[in-house]
Amino acid sequence: MKKLLLTPLFAVAALAAHAQNVTVTGRVLGAQGEALPGATVLERGTTNGTGTGANGEFSLSVAPTATITVQAIGFATQQIPLNGRTRLDVRLVTSATDLGDVVVTGSRVSEGRSNVLTTAPVDVISAREIKAFAQTDVSQVLTYAAPSFQSSRQSISDGTDFVDPASLRGLGPDQVLVLVNGKRRHNSALVNINGTIGRGSVGTDLNVIPTASIKRIEVLRDGAAALYGSDAIAGVINIQLKDDSTGVSSSALYGQTTQSDGKTEQVDFNVGIGLNKRGFLDLSGQFLNRAYTDRGFTDQAPLIYLGNNGGNYPASATTEQSRRDLKAQDDALVAQNGFDRNDLRVGQSATRNFGGFLNGGYRLGGGYELYVSGGASYRTGRGSGFNRLPNQATQSDLNLFPNGFLPFINTTIYDQSAIVGVRNTFGGFAVDLSNTFGRNELAYNVDGSVNASLPQGPNLVGLSPTSFYAGRLAFLQNTTNLGFSRRFIEVGPLANLNVAFGGEFRYDNFLIGRGEYASYINGGRTVNGGPAASGSQVFPGYQPQDEVNKGRTNVAGYVDLESDITEKLLIHAAGRAERYSDFGGNVSGQVGLRYSIIDAVALRGSLGNGFRAPSLQQRYFSNTSTQFVSGVANQVLTVNNDSPIVRNGFTAGGTGQQGFGVEPLRQEKSTNYGVGLTAKAGGLTFTADAYLIDIKDRIVLSAQFTRTNPIVNAILGAREISRVQFFANAVNTRTKGLDVVLNERLPLGDKSRLLLTAAANFNQTTVTSFNSSSTTVNNDQTAGNSNLQNTLFDRAQRTRLESGNPRSKIALSAAYTYGIFGVEARSVRFGEIKTADADPARAFLDQTFSAKWITDLTLNAQVTKQIGLVIGANNLFNVYPDKLIVNPRNNATNFSVDPNQSYSSGLDNSNRGRFLYSANQFGFNGAYYFARVNFTL
């Protein structure tokens, strides 16, 4: 199919013929209309350029399809396509910081605007800011640089250990759209099914893109489904790749935490190559090796060897003295066998990444310009699961692991992408035809583990596998776009009118591949008359019934209009119609405006509706996994929405596969409202934008239905499953918030300057109503927490959705340079988060984690023109989140036999006292120190 979609591009390119250059003249002015002598005017992608004269005038011979780059110190760079013109008068905007750059995201106009002149808020993170601190991947860079963006690394959460879930404005990972060079980027193959932020969602893996390849990142903080399509409910992240035609740069970083773990080694490079003054090729690469961190605490299980499952006292230990005696015997075995009670690895996973990207353009002649970009990455990861104690015979093979074992999940992530397109101008319209391909694959391997259901015995040691191939997930997306745009001057009463329209055809495919036979089979072994656990412990392999290979298509058309109605009023309107082959169509629209009250102050606002189609992963994903709930292992079935378990209704005494009676997944629909104020005075810029986002029929992954409910028990039947969960359009939500950004640039002399930034996001998501049309769910009369309606979306899920991410984030930064020296400081306040237990009777476990300030500091020196040195610290003051509450009864030295005072690990969420930090604010690695060498040629 790729060949069919790419054929038109090369057919058009083959028709190209040589074109003569044209001479472009013009004048470059400053923000107040003053002439700017010495400004640089370049033909983008070449070394062809000139400087402006004393009155700001310039003259330059370029290709007729060229894009002109205009730069001047203290002003935001502008990129201006000629579109047939031979005269350009350019007014540059004062750049308070890099956040004042000209942006192209949020509108399809041919000429970008400063982010204080747009109808919607856009943040810009430049290459300089990306390199300023120690963050080595895109999601962490954005977390600290853009307050409305949040991502944190998870721990012991299967695939989510290796693909960071991310959110914008407090919404889900699947409600923000990612673009590269303005083209849609494919999603990850992974769907988050464990108890993490973004549970039940599918995001985009930002970390496969090397930071060395990025020119800037534009974050549109506004609903944009009418512009870009499904997924853009919360906003859009547009990653603009470097387009240099000259120069070589590279850097090397080394760092580690103050606890001597989390070692990071990174080497990257970027090379700009001119192509005979007709184009450019920009190449980037990155190697990243990141070691694991461990912030686990001592296992509080009373008995490691002599207890029952989970280390509890056996029923025969009925007195305090008998428990003390048993504990003494067990402690002797612990010492004899060298068992380490720090038996769980809690922290970031280890990962190694090789990645490369290219970005290029070439003028073919006849007005045609061919462009190409893309990349590939190969990333391996290793993260632990929960350990199995030597007393957990149903989950172990004591012949192989007499002291228990800590199993590991190893992942291999392959990611490939390619954008190929051609541009030209016909009849005054800029025409852009492109094809974008992307594929993401995640393969699982398990080691240090066992399938406990396989036959065991001393004579079988060495024959039973301890490593398993557990299967793979893959997602493919191919998108073909044809777009037209033209800027009209003096259209009736309008000073100008930009018209853009076009169409899109997209193909998506999702695949689950089974694991090897031993990774999922039940070998028939029993323990004390009961079945041993099936499949590879920590991550049972995907089974034949999980396998899926499903595709769908999407056809869309859009129109986009923008006009400066008057010198004070800018209006933008967009509409988009889409039709998916698997669930139908949708029409969305948006209108935005900006009104200048005075030259320095303006109001802006937007109103629009959007939608998000259910992802193929949400429709078709299914698997069985081992998950620990209050320290107890459970076999959890995640079943896809098309399964009879989900779709069929339940009738007491009925025959056949009965189910929960849930309707098929349908699209989420949203309404976005935004209003803001922008102001600019000299080097000071200020923006404040309030927003309100209503989402109807939001797709969530249900809580886990347990066999304690008789209906669930009947639905699951004889399956070796203790819990089941599935996807449903379960809730309506409302998100409201405020974004504030303040920038100040202070020149302090010929050799020094000071850049100050203050930015903040305040947001609140509320579940406004619960949706269920299932009579099976709604009519369940079961009392207590296992009631089906309570479980479909329980209080733990609700709290995670409403308060699992910080409700506020404030970032303060300062960058001071003096000659070759510089210092940068940044302090980010991560607001409070909350957790809640699913059972209202256990509300005593609910917890609020207080807000914390994380401070980063770097010192840098440009030793020579080619070599720069940076040293610094992230989390300078070694701040950790609040610890989880640990119940006093969860204590290895608790010998009480009173049922109300005796040992219990289920009265808190610490998993026997070992897991004491939440990852959802800023992680829990503590202070981190680093050094970087930058080389430029």
Side-chain angles (χ1 to χ4, degrees):
M1 180 165 187
K2 288 186 288 179
K3 292 182 179 179
L4 291 175
L5 294 172
L6 290 170
T7 297
L9 303 178
F10 295 110
V12 171
L15 298 175
H18 179 71
Q20 298 296 321
N21 281 2
V22 297
T23 298
V24 178
T25 60
R27 192 178 184 212
V28 179
L29 305 176
Q32 307 303 319
E34 72 280 15
L36 288 182
T40 301
V41 181
L42 286 169
E43 182 180 3
R44 193 180 70 178
T46 75
T47 57
N48 179 33
T50 187
T52 57
N55 61 353
E57 293 280 352
F58 69 90
S59 177
L60 184 65
S61 177
V62 298
T65 58
T67 295
I68 304 301
T69 300
V70 184
Q71 300 172 312
I73 296 175
F75 295 89
T77 300
Q78 286 201 34
Q79 306 273 1
I80 307 171
L82 282 183
N83 290 340
R85 292 172 290 179
T86 57
R87 173 76 186 182
L88 291 179
D89 290 318
V90 183
R91 176 172 289 197
L92 297 182
V93 178
T94 301
S95 179
T97 70
D98 293 309
L99 296 178
D101 281 343
V102 172
V103 298
V104 296
T105 308
S107 172
R108 296 183 185 272
V109 296
S110 58
E111 298 175 12
R113 298 176 182 270
S114 164
N115 66 342
V116 297
L117 300 177
T118 56
T119 61
V122 183
D123 294 329
V124 179
I125 296 92
S126 70
R128 184 204 62 79
E129 190 169 0
I130 290 171
K131 285 289 189 181
F133 295 95
Q135 283 76 27
T136 54
D137 52 57
V138 175
S139 63
Q140 289 299 296
V141 167
L142 287 172
T143 294
Y144 284 85
S148 57
F149 181 93
Q150 174 67 18
S151 177
S152 57
R153 296 176 183 143
Q154 304 298 310
S155 181
I156 314 184
S157 55
D158 294 351
T160 311
D161 279 14
F162 312 100
V163 181
D164 299 340
S167 64
L168 190 65
R169 287 184 158 185
L171 295 178
D174 51 8
Q175 290 161 335
V176 56
L177 175 64
V178 177
L179 309 175
V180 173
N181 283 354
K183 308 296 183 181
R184 172 183 287 267
R185 180 152 181 94
H186 60 281
N187 293 131
S188 166
L190 176 72
V191 56
N192 301 301
I193 63 169
N194 289 345
T196 66
I197 288 298
R199 184 176 186 271
S201 66
V202 179
T204 301
D205 190 354
L206 295 169
N207 295 339
V208 301
I209 303 175
T211 54
S213 70
I214 299 174
K215 179 179 181 179
R216 67 177 184 271
I217 303 173
E218 300 178 357
V219 182
L220 170 64
R221 296 179 271 113
D222 192 30
L227 278 78
Y228 301 110
S230 183
D231 305 345
I233 289 176
V236 175
I237 297 171
N238 185 15
I239 298 174
Q240 295 282 345
L241 301 177
K242 289 180 179 176
D243 53 6
D244 297 329
S245 58
T246 59
V248 176
S249 64
S250 64
S251 70
L253 176 142
Y254 178 87
Q256 66 178 26
T257 72
T258 53
Q259 297 205 21
S260 299
D261 59 10
K263 179 179 69 175
T264 305
E265 300 160 319
Q266 182 193 31
V267 178
D268 60 37
F269 73 88
N270 177 260
V271 180
I273 304 170
L275 301 179
N276 197 29
K277 296 187 178 181
R278 302 182 66 138
F280 71 95
L281 180 63
D282 193 280
L283 302 173
S284 303
Q286 176 177 286
F287 166 74
L288 172 65
N289 184 39
R290 188 190 76 201
Y292 71 87
T293 58
D294 186 5
R295 301 295 179 269
F297 288 76
T298 303
D299 194 337
Q300 294 299 310
L303 304 176
I304 301 300
Y305 289 90
L306 303 178
N308 59 18
N309 189 26
N312 291 286
Y313 290 105
S316 58
T318 58
T319 66
E320 286 195 20
Q321 189 57 49
S322 65
R323 293 190 173 190
R324 290 179 184 274
D325 293 343
L326 198 59
K327 180 74 164 59
Q329 297 174 39
D330 193 83
D331 286 347
L333 289 173
V334 167
Q336 176 183 324
N337 294 310
F339 184 89
D340 186 355
R341 278 185 171 265
N342 288 312
D343 54 11
L344 190 63
R345 183 186 292 180
V346 182
Q348 72 180 19
S349 60
T351 186
R352 178 172 292 187
N353 184 41
F354 300 86
F357 250 75
L358 65 85
N359 187 37
Y362 192 79
R363 294 188 306 279
L364 299 166
Y368 290 94
E369 180 187 4
L370 178 70
Y371 60 91
V372 60
S373 64
S377 71
Y378 172 81
R379 185 164 84 233
T380 58
R382 181 172 172 83
S384 75
F386 288 96
N387 76 315
R388 272 58 168 174
L389 293 177
N391 58 51
Q392 295 177 298
T394 60
Q395 300 167 54
S396 185
D397 183 340
L398 297 181
N399 298 288
L400 287 170
F401 300 108
N403 298 310
F405 62 93
L406 181 65
F408 285 87
I409 297 175
N410 304 295
T411 58
T412 304
I413 300 176
Y414 307 91
D415 193 277
Q416 306 92 31
S417 62
I419 303 171
V420 180
V422 64
R423 289 187 283 249
N424 204 341
T425 300
F426 297 100
F429 281 89
V431 183
D432 187 337
L433 174 64
S434 67
N435 190 85
T436 304
F437 168 81
R439 185 178 185 276
N440 182 270
E441 177 180 323
L442 191 157
Y444 290 98
N445 286 274
V446 174
D447 68 13
S449 183
V450 67
N451 183 337
S453 72
L454 295 176
Q456 298 181 6
N459 297 329
L460 297 177
V461 172
L463 299 178
S464 182
T466 58
S467 60
F468 307 83
Y469 169 65
R472 66 190 179 108
L473 305 172
F475 180 72
L476 178 151
Q477 187 171 86
N478 196 88
T479 307
T480 301
N481 281 286
L482 178 61
F484 301 82
S485 65
R486 182 175 178 180
R487 184 176 180 84
F488 295 92
I489 305 298
E490 296 180 355
V491 181
L494 305 179
N496 56 66
L497 174 65
N498 195 91
V499 177
F501 58 91
E504 177 179 290
F505 177 80
R506 187 166 81 243
Y507 172 73
D508 297 341
N509 179 267
F510 175 60
L511 177 148
I512 300 177
R514 76 173 78 178
E516 65 175 285
Y517 189 61
S519 74
Y520 60 80
I521 187 64
N522 185 315
R525 174 177 169 257
T526 61
V527 179
N528 297 325
S534 303
S536 48
Q537 284 294 295
V538 77
F539 191 93
Y542 294 119
Q543 304 177 29
Q545 59 265 36
D546 297 329
E547 285 195 300
V548 69
N549 189 346
K550 294 288 186 179
R552 71 178 177 198
T553 60
N554 168 259
V555 179
Y558 68 87
V559 62
D560 184 284
L561 304 173
E562 183 166 307
S563 175
D564 292 288
I565 303 296
T566 68
E567 289 185 357
K568 290 182 174 292
L569 179 62
L570 168 68
I571 291 184
H572 175 229
R576 187 180 183 94
E578 303 203 32
R579 183 166 188 84
Y580 283 80
S581 60
D582 58 347
F583 79 90
N586 186 85
V587 176
S588 53
Q590 183 186 49
V591 61
L593 60 85
R594 180 184 182 277
Y595 181 76
S596 297
I597 303 172
I598 57 176
D599 286 345
V601 180
L603 292 172
R604 62 185 176 190
S606 64
L607 170 65
N609 68 303
F611 75 105
R612 190 187 71 80
S615 68
L616 289 177
Q617 293 91 318
Q618 289 173 323
R619 284 203 60 187
Y620 297 114
F621 180 83
S622 65
N623 89 321
T624 302
S625 62
T626 304
Q627 297 184 23
F628 280 74
V629 181
S630 296
V632 178
N634 287 263
Q635 293 295 98
V636 179
L637 171 65
T638 302
V639 63
N640 69 58
N641 185 266
D642 285 351
S643 168
I645 290 178
V646 178
R647 196 62 57 78
N648 293 352
F650 179 84
T651 304
T655 60
Q657 175 59 68
Q658 300 196 76
F660 290 90
V662 172
E663 292 182 342
L665 292 180
R666 57 189 178 274
Q667 61 190 353
E668 299 175 346
K669 293 191 174 182
S670 65
T671 306
N672 295 61
Y673 309 85
V675 62
L677 174 72
T678 70
K680 180 171 64 71
L684 175 70
T685 62
F686 170 80
T687 64
D689 295 274
Y691 56 92
L692 178 67
I693 307 169
D694 287 325
I695 304 177
K696 181 180 179 182
D697 297 328
R698 189 161 173 176
I699 299 171
V700 299
L701 180 59
S702 73
Q704 296 174 0
F705 297 87
T706 68
R707 286 185 179 270
T708 55
N709 185 295
I711 295 176
V712 177
N713 192 53
I715 290 173
L716 293 179
R719 293 178 176 85
E720 292 182 19
I721 296 297
S722 54
R723 296 168 176 251
V724 63
Q725 59 189 5
F726 51 82
F727 294 90
N729 296 88
V731 295
N732 298 338
T733 64
R734 166 167 286 187
T735 299
K736 56 185 178 181
L738 176 69
D739 293 312
V740 179
V741 181
L742 180 67
N743 298 306
E744 174 70 31
R745 180 192 185 108
L746 298 172
L748 302 178
D750 293 339
K751 294 184 178 182
S752 63
R753 66 173 184 170
L754 177 64
L755 304 178
L756 301 173
T757 299
N761 169 260
F762 306 92
N763 72 84
Q764 180 183 46
T765 294
T766 305
V767 175
T768 56
S769 61
F770 171 82
N771 302 331
S772 174
S773 58
S774 165
T775 56
T776 300
V777 172
N778 294 341
N779 295 340
D780 180 27
Q781 299 302 310
T782 304
N785 192 52
S786 63
N787 176 275
L788 297 185
Q789 196 171 96
N790 291 340
T791 308
L792 182 60
F793 189 70
D794 64 24
R795 65 194 302 271
Q797 308 285 40
R798 178 171 187 154
T799 303
R800 182 180 293 114
L801 192 66
E802 293 183 334
S803 304
N805 268 327
R807 285 193 168 185
S808 65
K809 194 157 65 169
I810 301 170
L812 306 175
S813 65
Y816 174 75
T817 58
Y818 181 83
I820 66 169
F821 299 102
V823 57
E824 301 206 30
R826 175 176 64 194
S827 193
V828 180
R829 181 186 184 274
F830 292 83
E832 69 178 28
I833 63 170
K834 297 179 181 180
T835 60
D837 195 86
D839 187 351
R842 290 163 55 89
F844 59 86
L845 291 180
D846 296 357
Q847 190 168 351
T848 298
F849 300 83
S850 62
K852 304 284 186 179
W853 285 93
I854 304 299
T855 302
D856 302 337
L857 178 68
T858 64
L859 305 174
N860 59 80
Q862 193 66 36
V863 180
T864 69
K865 185 177 180 181
Q866 292 80 27
I867 299 175
L869 301 177
V870 183
I871 60 171
N874 282 19
N875 196 352
L876 178 65
F877 301 113
N878 201 31
V879 177
Y880 280 81
D882 294 344
K883 288 183 179 179
L884 273 69
I885 297 169
V886 179
N887 191 285
R889 292 172 60 184
N890 186 2
N891 191 315
T893 59
N894 178 6
F895 302 108
S896 174
V897 293
D898 182 346
N900 297 315
Q901 300 295 327
S902 60
Y903 171 81
S904 175
S905 64
L907 296 176
D908 60 47
N909 295 314
S910 70
N911 199 283
R912 306 205 301 263
R914 299 177 294 176
F915 206 127
L916 297 189
Y917 293 119
S918 169
N920 293 338
Q921 285 171 297
F922 48 88
F924 45 85
N925 284 339
Y928 173 91
Y929 293 89
F930 74 98
R932 177 189 284 126
V933 178
N934 298 320
F935 176 81
T936 304
L937 182 63

